């Protein structure tokens, strides 16, 4: 594998748009085949991309997992690794995958307006990460920033990217 790139920004509709680009010899990686988009558990046990989202000033956060198969998962936490109940109907992220011989790109769109712990207009702090499974089944852990010690995507030090709130205009 040569590397991973990640980009994030706002769509015109106020969703966060994530793009992950995996470069290298994809034949040496275990990448799940495409299937109908659906929620799934334990995606981090295989190749998947992850986004952790929180407001800059609070400890509650969300974890989104996006698999190249189209499967996804969302989890809520009150604070570091303390699960919270997901309330309200959080819509499924939209996922699109493009694959070439030496490159896999995954786009995921998350409507943050539906996340109860995120207030409109708030500055967000993000942690972007990936779990990559090689042909032997070994897992590699990639992140914008790892805390000291073993990889821990939930650790506060991993929330290394700040993004300004989107300004949504309404007619009226």
């Amino acid at each position: 594998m040569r590397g991973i790139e990640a980009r994030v920004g706002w769509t015109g509709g106020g969703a966060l748009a994530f793009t992950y680009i995996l470069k290298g010899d994809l034949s040496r990686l275990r990448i799940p085949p495409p299937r109908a988009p659906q929620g799934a558990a334990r995606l981090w046990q295989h190749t998947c991309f992850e986004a952790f989202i929180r407001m800059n000033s609070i400890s509650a956060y969300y974890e989104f997992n996006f698999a190249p198969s189209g499967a996804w998962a969302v989890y809520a936490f009150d604070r570091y690794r303390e699960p919270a109940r997901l309330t309200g109907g959080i819509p499924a992220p939209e996922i699109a995958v493009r694959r070439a011989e030496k490159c896999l790109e995954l786009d995921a769109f998350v409507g943050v307006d539906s996340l109860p712990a995120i207030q409109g207009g708030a500055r967000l702090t993000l942690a972007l990460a990936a779990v990559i499974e090689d042909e032997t089944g070994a897992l590699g852990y990639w992140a914008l920033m790892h805390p000291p010690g073993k990889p821990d995507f939930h650790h506060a030090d991993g929330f290394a990217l700040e993004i300004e709130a989107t300004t949504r205009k309404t007619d009226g």
Side-chain angles (χ1 to χ4, degrees):
M1 190 174 76
R2 287 194 345 233
I4 298 175
E5 295 177 21
R7 293 189 290 255
V8 64
W10 293 104
T11 68
L16 275 175
F18 299 94
T19 298
Y20 299 87
I21 304 168
L22 175 62
K23 296 179 179 181
D25 185 354
L26 301 183
S27 68
R28 301 194 61 167
L29 304 175
R30 290 186 182 173
I31 298 174
R35 63 179 193 202
Q38 63 183 6
R42 307 177 92 59
L43 294 175
W44 62 83
Q45 293 179 338
H46 303 284
T47 297
C48 82
F49 303 96
E50 301 187 3
F52 295 78
I53 305 169
R54 72 175 187 198
M55 282 181 20
N56 208 17
S57 59
I58 65 169
S59 60
Y61 63 97
Y62 295 92
E63 173 187 353
F64 285 86
N65 300 160
F66 315 114
S69 65
W72 55 271
V74 60
Y75 305 94
F77 298 87
D78 285 328
R79 59 193 53 77
Y80 176 74
R81 292 194 176 270
E82 185 178 301
R85 167 171 260 170
L86 279 172
T87 57
I90 296 177
E94 295 178 38
I95 298 173
V97 178
R98 294 170 302 286
R99 185 173 175 164
E101 183 181 342
K102 300 278 184 187
C103 182
L104 180 139
E105 292 186 32
L106 182 142
D107 295 319
F109 303 92
V110 174
V112 295
D113 289 347
S114 65
L115 304 175
I118 306 295
Q119 297 172 2
R123 177 182 285 215
L124 302 179
T125 307
L126 309 174
L128 303 179
V131 177
I132 307 299
E133 184 177 16
D134 73 15
E135 63 191 337
T136 69
L139 299 176
Y141 301 95
W142 299 73
L144 288 178
M145 182 173 293
H146 282 291
K150 68 178 186 169
D152 182 356
F153 297 156
H154 292 256
H155 194 280
D157 288 352
F159 287 81
L161 178 63
E162 288 189 14
I163 186 167
E164 292 292 330
T166 182
T167 303
R168 299 207 42 200
K169 295 181 181 179
T170 57
D171 296 329

